[in-house]
Amino acid sequence: MSEAVDELVRLLDLERIEDNIFRGQSRDIGGRSVFGGQVLSQSLVAAGRTIERDRMAHSLHAYFLRPGDMEAPIVYEVDRIRDGKSFTTRRVKAIQHGRPIFNMACSFQVHENGGEHQIDMPDVPPPEELKSEMELRALVVDHLPEKLRAKFMQPRPIEFRPIDPENPFQPEKKPPYRNYWLRAAGKLNDDMALHQAVLAYASDFWLMGTAMLPHGLTFMMRHVQVASLDHALWFHRPFRADEWLLYSMDSPSSGNSRGFNRGSIFTRDGKLVASVVQEGLVRVREDE
């Protein structure tokens, strides 16, 4: 397991304070506040530690309320809303400095057989034919001030390989579609709850940027303010987060300084394993 993946697994191994209360730490990945995918995945872990192990998460719906402080621990309070015969529902609140920064409702289900169908996976090049995100970053890192370059190039626990990469410093206007291959950058154990948490973490990368493609905007622009507002994730089928998954994204609409984004996640052999929806703030500040 790579050092970055090992650190992510440690971040997901929350400290139990009380029966329904957990504490987690943060990793600085170069943003101004705690990465939303980290809070999302830690909340899922906290909820999962209050349920029976015969049922797995099938959906979660979350709101980002305040920026997280990377220097302070995050306390997760789990509300055991319902324990049913087939479904278990939990509500999770993430707290820092006495105030909620995030809340989430999630549902778990025992395995049941039923009719199945799914959409087809897009026809895209395999990951072996593509440059990794880190290789692409190395080509543009000189655009950054020297003090920011180390953070920009730090190893990530998730390996990404974009199908049609864009230059974050010289973006071109494009239709609101993008595809990325992704996988954990190291071997994980066989615990499906861990694989779900890692995918929840990865699902918050790149999705928001899809709504920015038609406008020629990126996260690297000083006059652009971007923040996740909410995030929903559905797990459809078992998968491994340490094997290649295709993240296919589109943005049907943006307006009123909000961008709406959708994602479908497929295994390499074409099985749809998860769906994602996110809306985020995309505000252009003319005063910058």
Side-chain angles (χ1 to χ4, degrees), residues 29-193:
I29 65 169
R32 299 175 181 175
S33 57
V34 175
F35 173 52
Q38 176 202 302
V39 185
L40 188 79
S41 56
Q42 287 179 330
S43 295
L44 181 60
V45 170
R49 292 189 175 179
T50 68
I51 66 165
E52 300 174 7
R53 301 304 295 172
D54 68 336
R55 53 193 70 195
M56 299 303 302
H58 71 88
S59 69
L60 59 86
H61 304 261
Y63 281 91
F64 299 93
L65 306 176
R66 295 180 175 89
D69 180 359
M70 282 182 283
E71 302 301 322
I74 304 174
V75 174
Y76 295 93
E77 292 185 355
V78 181
D79 184 3
R80 303 186 184 221
I81 297 176
R82 180 178 184 268
D83 291 294
K85 292 182 179 179
S86 300
F87 291 88
T88 298
T89 308
R90 295 289 185 263
R91 181 185 293 120
V92 184
K93 181 167 59 175
I95 301 170
Q96 278 189 318
H97 307 301
R99 300 194 302 174
I101 64 169
F102 172 94
N103 65 36
M104 180 179 82
C106 53
S107 182
F108 300 75
Q109 182 190 13
V110 298
H111 175 73
E112 297 184 40
N113 294 320
E116 290 196 13
H117 75 275
Q118 66 160 78
I119 60 173
D120 294 332
M121 183 176 75
D123 184 13
V124 298
E128 291 80 9
E129 297 180 4
L130 305 169
K131 284 185 170 63
S132 72
E133 177 203 11
M134 297 310 295
E135 290 175 309
L136 294 168
R137 285 189 168 216
L139 299 176
V140 299
V141 67
D142 290 342
H143 288 272
L144 281 172
E146 189 171 353
K147 65 180 181 179
L148 300 178
R149 293 176 186 175
K151 191 69 66 177
F152 187 70
M153 294 300 299
Q154 69 175 332
R156 288 192 176 187
I158 309 297
E159 180 182 359
F160 295 97
R161 297 198 179 187
I163 307 299
D164 184 21
E166 59 267 0
N167 185 333
F169 301 99
Q170 297 175 341
E172 299 177 0
K173 294 183 179 181
K174 297 181 178 181
Y177 304 95
R178 66 187 349 168
N179 292 282
Y180 273 73
W181 288 102
L182 67 88
R183 66 178 176 182
K187 186 73 173 177
L188 302 172
N189 65 37
D190 294 334
D191 182 8
M192 181 52 62

Side-chain angles (χ1 to χ4, degrees), residues 29 31-40 60-68 101-103 200-212 219 224-232 247 257-261 276-283:
I29 65 169
R32 299 175 181 175
S33 57
V34 175
F35 173 52
Q38 176 202 302
V39 185
L40 188 79
L60 59 86
H61 304 261
Y63 281 91
F64 299 93
L65 306 176
R66 295 180 175 89
I101 64 169
F102 172 94
N103 65 36
Y201 176 88
S203 71
D204 196 32
F205 282 99
W206 305 114
L207 186 58
M208 263 297 302
T210 311
M212 301 163 69
F219 295 93
V224 178
Q225 180 185 0
V226 182
S228 299
L229 298 174
D230 58 13
H231 195 103
Y247 198 177
S257 294
R258 300 193 314 273
F260 178 72
N261 307 274
V276 190
V277 172
Q278 184 183 80
E279 189 175 49
L281 175 72
V282 183
R283 180 180 289 152

Side-chain angles (χ1 to χ4, degrees), residues 252-264:
S253 175
S254 67
N256 200 26
S257 294
R258 300 193 314 273
F260 178 72
N261 307 274
R262 303 180 299 192
S264 299

